[in-house]
Coordinates of all heavy atoms in Angstrom, one line a residue:
C13 N -17.8 3.9 -13.7 CA -17.1 5.0 -14.3 C -15.9 5.3 -13.4 O -16.1 5.7 -12.3 CB -18.0 6.2 -14.5 SG -17.0 7.6 -15.2
H15 N -14.0 7.8 -13.7 CA -13.9 9.2 -13.6 C -14.9 9.7 -12.5 O -14.5 10.5 -11.6 CB -14.2 9.9 -14.9 CG -14.0 11.4 -14.9 ND1 -15.1 12.2 -14.7 CD2 -12.9 12.1 -15.0 CE1 -14.6 13.5 -14.7 NE2 -13.3 13.4 -14.9
C16 N -16.1 9.2 -12.5 CA -17.1 9.6 -11.5 C -16.9 8.8 -10.2 O -17.4 9.1 -9.2 CB -18.5 9.3 -12.1 SG -18.9 10.4 -13.5
V20 N -22.8 4.2 -12.9 CA -23.5 5.2 -13.5 C -24.4 4.6 -14.7 O -24.0 3.6 -15.2 CB -22.6 6.3 -14.1 CG1 -21.8 7.0 -13.0 CG2 -21.6 5.6 -15.2
C31 N -19.9 6.7 -20.0 CA -20.7 7.3 -18.9 C -21.7 8.3 -19.4 O -21.3 9.2 -20.2 CB -19.7 7.9 -17.9 SG -20.5 8.8 -16.6
E33 N -22.9 10.5 -17.7 CA -22.7 11.8 -16.9 C -21.5 12.6 -17.4 O -21.6 13.8 -17.5 CB -22.6 11.5 -15.4 CG -23.9 10.9 -14.9 CD -23.9 10.8 -13.4 OE1 -23.0 11.3 -12.7 OE2 -24.8 10.1 -12.8
C34 N -20.4 11.9 -17.6 CA -19.2 12.6 -18.0 C -18.6 12.2 -19.3 O -17.7 12.8 -19.9 CB -18.1 12.4 -16.9 SG -17.3 10.8 -16.9
G35 N -19.1 11.1 -19.9 CA -18.6 10.7 -21.2 C -17.4 9.8 -21.2 O -16.9 9.3 -22.3
A36 N -16.8 9.5 -20.0 CA -15.6 8.6 -20.0 C -16.1 7.2 -20.3 O -17.2 6.8 -20.1 CB -15.0 8.7 -18.6
Ligands
ZN1 ZN1 -18.5 9.4 -15.5

Side-chain angles (χ1 to χ4, degrees):
C13 175
H15 186 263
C16 297
V20 296
C31 176
E33 295 186 13
C34 75

